[in-house]
């Protein structure tokens, strides 16, 4: 899956599509050209990086510090790899695919580029294994979000209690009907 947002001219917006694939969580990301400024601020050696390996190594460390995925127990998923996507069109965006080990994402902490501009917003889409897509925006005021996994146990308990109550009422009604009514004629 590729992100085709094409919003690279919005220098204060970045986009993240988070998807579970197999045993990993894959993040397709698109950044405006200002990601370069964020990387230079993070590691001044980025200014002198000449090879794709040097650029990817700096971006890997930046992403590892700035985009963290957590399980429900608070354990952080490990960033395994970053891949700079090739784009042959005229585009001012930089696209990366980030691969994390693990799939049970419950919390996302995304502060990529938030220290660059006050108006920076990161648009995050999370698609779970059922194909349900949820959207969140991270900013300086709200740098993380929790992914609410629907817990159907509560709703099933509610239905079981209602069904049980109806059955109880029906049994009591029929028991009352079967009892002979004895009139005291004294």
């Amino acid at each position: 899956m590729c992100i085709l947002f094409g919003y690279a001219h919005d220098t204060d917006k970045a986009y993240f599509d988070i998807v579970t694939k197999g045993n990993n969580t894959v993040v397709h990301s698109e950044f405006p050209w200002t990601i370069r400024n964020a990387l230079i601020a993070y590691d001044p050696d980025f200014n002198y990086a000449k090879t794709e390996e040097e650029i990817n190594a700096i971006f890997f460390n930046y992403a590892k510090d700035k985009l963290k995925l957590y399980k429900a127990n608070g354990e952080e998923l490990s960033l395994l790899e970053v891949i700079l996507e090739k784009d042959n069109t005229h585009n001012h965006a930089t696209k990366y695919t980030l691969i994390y080990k693990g799939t049970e994402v419950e919390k996302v902490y995304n502060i990529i580029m938030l220290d660059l501009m006050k108006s920076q917003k990161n648009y995050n889409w999370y698609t779970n294994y059922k194909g349900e897509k949820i959207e969140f925006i991270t900013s300086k005021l709200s740098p993380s979000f929790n992914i609410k996994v629907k817990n159907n146990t509560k709703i099933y308990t509610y239905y079981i209690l209602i069904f049980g109550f109806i059955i109880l009422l029906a049994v009591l009604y029929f028991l009352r009907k079967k009892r002979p009514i004895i009139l005291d004629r004294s």
Side-chain angles (χ1 to χ4, degrees):
M1 174 190 297
C2 254
I3 295 181
L4 300 173
F5 298 120
Y7 300 126
H9 291 284
D10 293 331
T11 59
D12 60 351
K13 292 177 178 65
Y15 304 91
F16 303 85
D17 193 7
I18 306 165
V19 182
T20 299
K21 287 188 178 178
N23 295 325
N24 295 323
T25 299
V26 178
V27 180
H28 300 282
S29 58
E30 181 177 309
F31 304 100
W33 61 268
T34 50
I35 186 67
R36 176 176 166 71
N37 298 340
L39 291 169
I40 291 170
Y42 177 77
D43 185 345
D45 287 340
F46 184 80
N47 235 352
Y48 309 105
K50 302 226 184 288
T51 67
E52 189 172 314
E53 289 78 24
E54 292 172 325
I55 292 168
N56 284 348
I58 292 169
F59 184 80
F60 180 92
N61 291 331
Y62 179 75
K64 188 175 177 184
D65 287 346
K66 307 286 184 176
L67 179 59
K68 298 176 184 250
L69 308 180
Y70 296 95
K71 294 181 180 182
N73 65 4
E75 181 184 341
E76 185 179 342
L77 274 64
S78 299
L79 179 59
L80 299 175
E81 181 180 10
V82 297
I83 302 164
L84 178 62
E85 300 297 331
K86 304 290 186 214
D87 191 352
N88 295 328
T89 63
H90 173 73
N91 194 343
H92 295 284
T94 300
K95 296 177 185 178
Y96 270 97
T97 297
L98 298 88
I99 301 171
Y100 290 82
K101 182 179 181 177
T103 59
E104 301 167 16
V105 180
E106 293 286 328
K107 181 177 181 178
V108 176
Y109 177 75
N110 185 352
I111 61 168
I112 287 183
M113 296 181 63
L114 292 184
D115 51 352
L116 198 61
M117 289 182 245
K118 288 181 183 178
S119 61
Q120 178 68 36
K121 288 193 178 6
N122 292 332
Y123 293 84
N124 304 272
W125 290 272
Y126 173 75
T127 305
N128 67 12
Y129 65 95
K130 293 180 182 178
E132 300 167 327
K133 200 166 204 171
I134 307 162
E135 179 180 349
F136 300 93
I137 298 173
T138 53
S139 64
K140 277 191 178 220
L141 295 175
S142 182
S144 66
F145 58 90
N146 292 318
I147 297 168
K148 303 283 189 243
V149 176
K150 292 181 183 175
N151 186 350
N152 292 332
T153 306
K154 288 181 183 177
I155 200 151
Y156 290 136
T157 304
Y158 177 73
Y159 286 134
I160 288 170
L161 288 174
I162 288 175
F163 184 70
F165 184 70
I166 292 170
I167 296 287
L168 177 65
L169 288 177
V171 167
L172 290 174
Y173 176 77
F174 287 115
L175 285 176
R176 185 171 176 219
K177 281 254 186 205
K178 284 188 169 185
R179 252 193 279 163
I181 300 175
I182 302 173
L183 297 174
D184 187 15
R185 294 187 182 189
S186 22

